[in-house]
Amino acid sequence: MTCTAALRHIVLCELNSDITPAKHAELVCEFSLLKDSVPGVLQFEWGPNVSPEGLDDGYTDCFTLTFAGVAARDVYLSHPAHLAFVELLKPWLARVLVFDYFPQEVPG
C-alpha cells in the first residue's frame, strides 16, 4: 500500500435530540465555511447518517475534511475560526468521534 499526501479528517457527531432543523442547518453551514477560512482545507463534505444497518451507535452526522497534509490539519486545529466553531457547536453536541487517516491504495 502507498500513502497519499492528502489527510482525511472524519468528524462523527451525535447532536442533541432537541436541536431544531434551523439550528442544525446553521451549524452545518458554519462548519462548511471553515473551508474558506482556514488555509490548507482542500475539501469539505457533510451528510446525515442514512445507513439501514443500525450500527451508527447514535452518531447522526458525518463531516469529512481533506487537508493538504499533517501541517495543514495542525493549523486547522488551532485556527481561531475552528476554535470559534467548536464553541458554537458544543451546546448542541452530545458526542463526537474524530478519526484522521491517509487514504491508502490497495494493490490490485
Side-chain angles (χ1 to χ4, degrees):
M1 289 195 227
T2 59
C3 180
T4 63
L7 177 68
R8 301 286 197 278
H9 179 75
I10 308 295
V11 181
L12 298 177
C13 295
E14 178 184 350
L15 299 175
N16 293 335
S17 60
D18 63 344
I19 192 168
T20 65
K23 178 53 78 173
H24 185 268
E26 176 190 341
L27 292 172
V28 170
C29 180
E30 289 295 326
F31 204 161
S32 74
L33 293 175
L34 294 178
K35 180 182 183 297
D36 299 324
S37 303
V38 181
V41 180
L42 303 177
Q43 184 176 353
F44 171 88
E45 294 179 320
W46 163 79
N49 176 48
V50 295
S51 175
E53 296 178 283
L55 299 174
D56 53 67
D57 195 29
Y59 291 101
T60 56
D61 294 77
C62 179
F63 301 89
T64 303
L65 292 92
T66 302
F67 293 99
V70 171
R73 187 263 331 263
D74 292 348
V75 166
Y76 165 84
L77 291 177
S78 61
H79 194 280
H82 173 249
L83 298 175
F85 172 73
V86 168
E87 291 305 312
L88 183 67
L89 177 63
K90 276 183 182 179
W92 303 101
L93 190 61
R95 290 188 307 154
V96 66
L97 175 75
V98 177
F99 190 93
D100 293 353
Y101 72 97
F102 290 103
Q104 304 290 308
E105 292 182 24
V106 180

